[in-house]
Amino acid sequence: MPLADPVAYLRSLIESGLRTADDTLNETTIRLAVTGLSRAGKTVFIVSMIANLLAMGRRLDTLPALARRIGDVGRLRQVTVAPSGSSTLPHFDLTPKLDRLAGREPAWPDRTTDLSRIALTLTLDRAGAFSRLAGPRRVTLEVLDYPGEWLLDLPMLGQGYADWSRETMASLAHPMRAGEAAQFLAWLSGVRASDPGDEAVARRGWGLYRDALLALRDHGLRWLQPGRALNPGPRGEAPVLYFFPLPDAGDRPAPGTLGALLADRHAAYLVDMEQTEFRGKLDRFDRQVVLVDVLGALHAGEAAFEDTARAIGAIAKVLRRDGLLARLLGQAQPTHLAFAATKADHVPAATRPALASLLRDLVGDAASGEGRSVHAIAALRATEDTAVKRGGAEIAAVSGIPLGEGGRRSFDPGHVPPQRPGATFWAGPPFRFEGFRPALLAPDARLGVPHLGLDTLLADLIGDALA
Amino acid sequence: MSADPPRRPGFADDSAAEPPPTRTSDALRTPALLVEEGGKGAVAVPWAPADLSVPRAGMGTLGLAASGIAVLLATWAGFGLASVVADQFATSPLLGWLSLAAAGTGAALLGAAMLREVRGLASLGTVDGLAALLADPAAPIEETRSRALAWVRSVARRVPEADRVIPAISAAGSVAEIAAHLRAGVAAPLAGEAARIGRRAAVQGGAIVALSPSPGLDGVIALWRGLRVVREVATLHGLRPGLFGTARLMRRTISIAATTAGADLIAQTAAEGFVGATPVVRDLAAAVPGAGIAAFRLYRLAVATAAACLPLPPKA
């Protein structure tokens, strides 16, 4: 009521005007999407990044390369977890995850089952004496944790049901996939798209298809669609999920047939995912890191490796929105894109460059250009480098406690090729290894989290906004 | 390129994982889990991040010279006094005891002054410690809680309404929650009280400047009143600043006024409707232009000092 109390009204106008001016001048928000295939270590990456940035705010040099990028580190006044505001996304619960990692019996965080968001505010003094009069800058780093399984739904968005079915059936024909999906394929051999659209048949087919996807995931395969079949998320299973590929799916299925029922559900699923999980979430991030467990894929065998390479390529292609028009309009997204081979602590120091080089080779053109970079990192270092005798020769290895075991063992990751390996590489059987237990951390991770290469990655990814 | 044959991954003590001898001409070393290293215990990766704190500049030339002069003066005074006392004892025991009592009283007063300085600096250090804990979400909650409660109790002696947050802080489940209670229940009344001190100082300072016979005296008056404002606001916040404590607080206040609180100060000043709400200042400003500026500066000083005395991190 401006007329009732004009002084108060004028006062509030001035106050809000000054606040707006201050926000415009001093407030910067950078949005970072942490993406990658499932089991790539996205949650640990976020926990480590936040713990190390918070420790940096406590004047600890936990991220040396980023500190160098900032320049005069004395300018970093503080780092705090920003209030959630009125975000509709679930909050990334940092404390329980840190407690698990930094407890007496350190354990990795649980698998991501839903989208979550967290934001940090970094307060920095300005560099020049004159510009300091404008007050310190507040850089808000908004981070999104995204379930890896759902990312593989992105390439589906541009496909109809018939195309998706043909592609999926061709993929299931691979000997390794066919072995794990044998029950589904045997059942499918008796089903036709022209059969009546019966609910019981659809549910049965979906159940078998989902079981096949789960078995394939356990064998290290990553190109598994639809993502919500593996991770239904907090909304749980719904009828819209009950579809599976048909070998004879047509572009125009007759109404009332099984083909039409599954095509309808496929279309409804994509609309639902696009509207609820992608739009306004993944597409509003201006920086992105794609995490890839390259070593795990290499050890899981040729099929899993090729599968991972295919998935990374498809995701990178879908998430890039930097066409000519976008660049001309200054709307190219993401402005900074980093690819990181995770679990670099599973290989000795001398092999880490090969791990990064292998990922660069897999990513191809998507990693070239301004603002693009490739790294080998371990968000939480769980091993120490060591040297052991093997086959009569001394070799570099790493030492840690394998998951499920009580004592330390040395691990030789074998030969890590710097480029996509040739056929002879795959002669041996796949090597199954769940990884190492996390290393002991200081309580509450007050000293940050030991890592490998995280600082260089962050310097490339967000350093420009802090310099 | 290494001349070693390529290996496959694995553990070294796993016999099945021994490298296959010569599967092909370019056989790869397979991955393997190797020798059991029992007894070494958990993995504690070497991790000792360096301190990023900007090293203190240390004592400058002037500081060294001043310290040297102070030491020389103190030594000269001490030996001089001892000599005087010894001379008096030589003259007469009564005069000797009297001179010793006088010198002892003087030394005791100096000691009391130094103790007050130390306590003042320690109280500043306590608030700084609480500020560091509140700025850190991973800070130990019990330590933060006990320090926050101690601070609230010290503030509540002058601002009784601060007492109301004690139960909430006692039951708080996180450092962020403690900070929120302090902000809402303690910082807000303190800000109101600091603004009141600022207005009073503005009226007094403006009036004295208006009455001062010489413009050269204006600066001295403003400095004297400014120092009083800093001490009053600091005392309100549970601090007991002595000479050095006040100087430290003054430095921090200037820094805050120049950086953090720049926009906040303007907003707060505008929000207070300072000139409109203080008719005496308005009249003084109209009559004596310099008086208005002095009054405005004293008010801003009170607001900035209040920000410097708070252990709360600035609002994100």
Side-chain angles (χ1 to χ4, degrees):
Chain A
M1 295 290 287
L3 291 177
D5 188 352
V7 174
Y9 178 67
L10 192 61
R11 189 184 299 167
S12 74
L13 272 186
I14 293 170
E15 198 169 21
S16 97
L18 285 167
R19 181 64 63 191
T20 307
D22 179 52
D23 286 351
T24 310
L25 198 63
N26 294 325
E27 188 86 47
T28 311
T29 299
I30 50 179
R31 298 185 172 89
L32 170 65
V34 179
T35 58
L37 302 175
S38 59
R39 311 295 300 275
K42 295 181 292 297
T43 305
V44 176
F45 176 89
I46 295 173
V47 170
S48 174
M49 176 177 68
I50 291 174
N52 283 318
L53 284 171
L54 287 171
M56 209 169 149
R58 290 192 291 270
R59 303 258 167 253
L60 291 173
D61 195 8
T62 49
L63 300 164
L66 185 62
R68 281 198 301 276
R69 188 81 162 83
I70 291 173
D72 175 11
V73 285
R75 287 173 46 227
L76 183 65
R77 295 170 71 114
Q78 65 171 11
V79 182
T80 53
V81 176
S84 309
S86 52
S87 170
T88 54
L89 290 175
H91 183 65
F92 181 89
D93 227 344
L94 178 68
T95 311
K97 292 180 174 74
L98 260 182
D99 288 348
R100 261 175 83 88
L101 280 173
R104 281 175 182 275
E105 291 291 328
W108 297 109
D110 292 330
R111 186 190 286 268
T112 304
T113 57
D114 191 13
L115 282 167
S116 56
R117 171 201 172 276
I118 188 166
L120 288 183
T121 301
L122 294 91
T123 310
L124 297 122
D125 282 334
R126 291 177 184 277
F130 184 71
S131 54
R132 279 188 194 189
L133 293 174
R137 292 171 55 221
R138 296 182 298 278
V139 179
T140 300
L141 174 64
E142 194 179 329
V143 185
L144 180 78
D145 186 16
Y146 200 86
E149 292 91 347
W150 296 358
L151 275 179
L152 262 301
D153 286 350
L154 283 170
M156 285 174 73
L157 292 177
Q159 276 181 321
Y161 173 69
D163 288 339
W164 176 74
S165 278
R166 273 191 289 276
E167 199 175 278
T168 308
M169 291 309 298
S171 171
L172 286 175
H174 186 280
M176 184 184 174
R177 286 183 178 251
E180 294 302 326
Q183 205 181 349
F184 170 67
L185 292 173
W187 176 85
L188 199 60
S189 63
V191 177
R192 297 286 175 273
S194 54
D195 291 349
D198 187 88
E199 179 66 23
V201 173
R203 284 200 69 165
R204 172 75 178 143
W206 177 77
L208 291 169
Y209 179 62
R210 184 195 53 186
D211 292 347
L213 291 180
L214 289 168
L216 290 167
R217 183 173 72 179
D218 290 344
H219 278 79
L221 293 168
R222 294 290 177 262
W223 186 275
L224 306 166
Q225 297 169 323
R228 275 184 64 197
L230 296 164
N231 176 15
R235 289 188 288 159
E237 284 181 15
V240 74
L241 284 172
Y242 302 153
F243 65 92
F244 52 87
L246 283 171
D248 59 342
D251 289 326
R252 289 184 183 169
T257 60
L258 182 65
L261 175 66
L262 299 184
D264 285 349
R265 284 183 174 162
H266 173 269
Y269 174 81
L270 294 185
V271 169
D272 179 57
M273 287 301 281
E274 205 269 334
Q275 288 182 348
T276 58
E277 310 300 353
F278 298 146
R279 192 184 298 169
K281 290 166 186 166
L282 264 189
D283 59 0
R284 60 193 281 272
F285 282 79
D286 49 8
R287 289 157 204 255
Q288 188 190 335
V289 56
V290 181
L291 304 176
V292 188
D293 180 9
V294 180
L295 191 69
L298 200 64
H299 289 170
E302 185 176 12
F305 186 80
E306 293 300 332
D307 203 61
T308 301
R310 180 185 176 198
I312 301 164
I315 291 168
K317 194 174 162 192
V318 172
L319 287 173
R320 278 185 76 159
R321 301 179 299 283
D322 59 351
L324 181 63
L325 184 62
R327 273 181 280 160
L328 285 173
L329 295 172
Q331 301 287 318
Q333 301 283 13
T335 57
H336 292 71
L337 173 64
F339 293 89
T342 55
K343 302 177 188 174
D345 57 338
H346 286 35
V347 301
T351 313
R352 282 168 208 146
L355 199 62
S357 171
L358 178 59
L359 178 61
R360 184 175 284 110
D361 189 47
L362 291 184
V363 172
D365 288 345
S368 56
E370 197 184 344
R372 309 293 188 250
S373 56
V374 180
H375 306 261
I377 67 158
L380 194 164
R381 188 178 180 183
T383 66
E384 293 173 65
D385 282 11
T386 186
V388 290
K389 290 238 174 203
R390 190 176 180 211
E394 186 166 273
I395 53 162
V398 293
S399 171
I401 303 176
L403 286 170
E405 296 189 22
R408 290 174 65 152
R409 295 175 78 184
S410 297
F411 176 62
D412 174 12
H415 178 63
V416 177
Q419 288 177 323
R420 201 183 282 245
T424 53
F425 183 88
W426 306 112
F431 179 77
R432 301 290 299 274
F433 179 45
E434 291 298 313
F436 292 102
R437 272 169 51 182
L440 285 177
L441 300 179
D444 302 321
R446 283 185 61 77
L447 298 178
V449 171
H451 62 84
L452 289 172
L454 182 66
D455 55 336
T456 315
L457 185 148
L458 290 178
D460 284 346
L461 202 57
I462 62 170
D464 65 306
L466 306 179
Chain B
M1 289 297 286
S2 167
D4 294 341
R7 308 184 309 275
R8 307 285 305 178
F11 291 92
D13 56 344
D14 186 353
S15 57
E18 278 300 304
T22 47
R23 196 180 54 226
T24 62
S25 58
D26 62 342
L28 305 172
R29 201 177 73 222
T30 55
L33 272 171
L34 307 175
V35 191
E36 191 80 43
E37 295 177 1
K40 278 196 179 174
V43 176
V45 176
W47 179 250
D51 189 358
L52 279 175
S53 300
V54 180
R56 290 174 72 95
M59 210 179 271
T61 310
L62 279 177
L64 279 172
S67 303
I69 290 169
V71 169
L72 286 176
L73 280 175
T75 312
W76 174 72
F79 280 106
L81 265 176
S83 165
V84 167
V85 171
D87 286 349
Q88 296 305 317
F89 268 111
T91 308
S92 129
L94 177 65
L95 283 176
W97 283 111
L98 281 174
S99 60
L100 186 62
T105 307
L109 289 173
L110 269 177
M114 283 173 70
L115 186 67
R116 186 176 288 183
E117 281 301 320
V118 169
R119 285 177 62 193
L121 287 172
S123 70
L124 260 179
T126 307
V127 172
D128 287 348
L130 176 58
L133 289 169
L134 290 171
D136 178 6
I141 185 160
E142 287 313 322
E143 188 188 346
T144 312
R145 192 197 312 280
S146 69
R147 286 202 190 200
L149 286 173
W151 182 67
V152 171
R153 288 188 181 110
S154 71
V155 168
R157 286 183 212 129
R158 290 167 188 84
V159 187
E161 58 264 46
D163 251 347
R164 77 167 171 90
V165 295
I166 288 178
I169 291 175
S170 303
S174 67
V175 172
E177 206 182 322
I178 292 174
H181 289 308
L182 290 177
R183 202 182 291 283
V186 186
L190 278 177
E193 221 21 56
R196 194 184 58 76
I197 291 174
R199 275 196 293 272
R200 199 181 63 213
V203 171
Q204 291 177 356
I208 295 170
V209 166
L211 293 172
S212 84
S214 149
L217 266 179
D218 292 1
V220 179
I221 292 167
L223 180 67
W224 164 75
R225 197 60 187 91
L227 280 174
R228 272 194 62 190
V229 164
V230 169
R231 290 171 67 95
E232 280 177 48
V233 174
T235 308
L236 180 74
H237 285 75
L239 303 172
R240 293 183 292 263
L243 189 64
F244 291 105
T246 306
R248 217 166 104 182
L249 207 51
M250 214 41 179
R251 208 163 52 223
R252 194 183 305 174
T253 303
I254 289 164
S255 156
I256 283 189
T259 57
T260 321
D264 286 347
L265 279 173
I266 298 168
Q268 197 170 340
T269 308
E272 288 290 335
F274 173 65
V275 173
T278 318
V280 179
V281 175
R282 187 184 53 207
D283 296 343
L284 277 171
V288 190
I293 292 168
F296 187 71
R297 282 176 182 164
L298 283 168
Y299 177 77
R300 279 204 311 181
L301 182 66
V303 175
T305 307
C309 292
L310 268 186
L312 288 161
K315 268 189 274 189

